[in-house]
Amino acid sequence: MVTHDRPVLSEATGTTGAFTIPTRYRGDVLATMHATYADGGNAGQTSWTPYQEFNKAFSPDYPNGGIVLTPEFLSALRDGEPAKLVFHFYSGATVTYHVTKSGSTVTGSVS
């Protein structure tokens, strides 16, 4: 029997070269992520869709309890404008997270 609870993400600070969102998966598995700005525009390097490419923009790090946002994804974000990330999990759960890039500094918060 497989059981899970809603995943929990935590606040983080890092750089465009290394940013990981602390994540307690609680038995769930990451499926996808979409990223948008407050104006409705798509965020990230895949600009034609809000859904970002698995292992190109983000990837799970199950052993270390994190979701890694890649330097390519972070570098493509608008400076100083928060991006809303919605992580979708195989259970059907979603968790919203906000990241803001300011120069090479990246901060993340749960909403």
Side-chain angles (χ1 to χ4, degrees), residues 8-13 19-22 97-98 107-111:
V8 177
L9 281 60
S10 300
E11 293 184 359
T13 302
F19 186 81
T20 300
I21 301 167
Y97 197 81
H98 291 88
T107 57
S109 62
V110 181
S111 58

Side-chain angles (χ1 to χ4, degrees), residues 37-96:
Y37 292 110
D39 67 7
N42 299 326
Q45 77 263 41
T46 307
S47 60
W48 56 273
T49 179
Y51 288 91
Q52 299 299 307
E53 191 172 353
F54 205 94
N55 291 330
K56 294 282 186 179
F58 68 100
S59 61
D61 182 357
Y62 298 113
N64 295 307
I67 298 173
V68 177
L69 300 181
T70 67
E72 294 80 14
F73 173 78
L74 294 167
S75 294
L77 295 178
R78 297 178 192 161
D79 200 59
E81 189 171 348
K84 176 180 159 184
L85 312 181
V86 179
F87 292 97
H88 298 258
F89 295 85
Y90 278 104
S91 68
T94 60
V95 179
T96 301

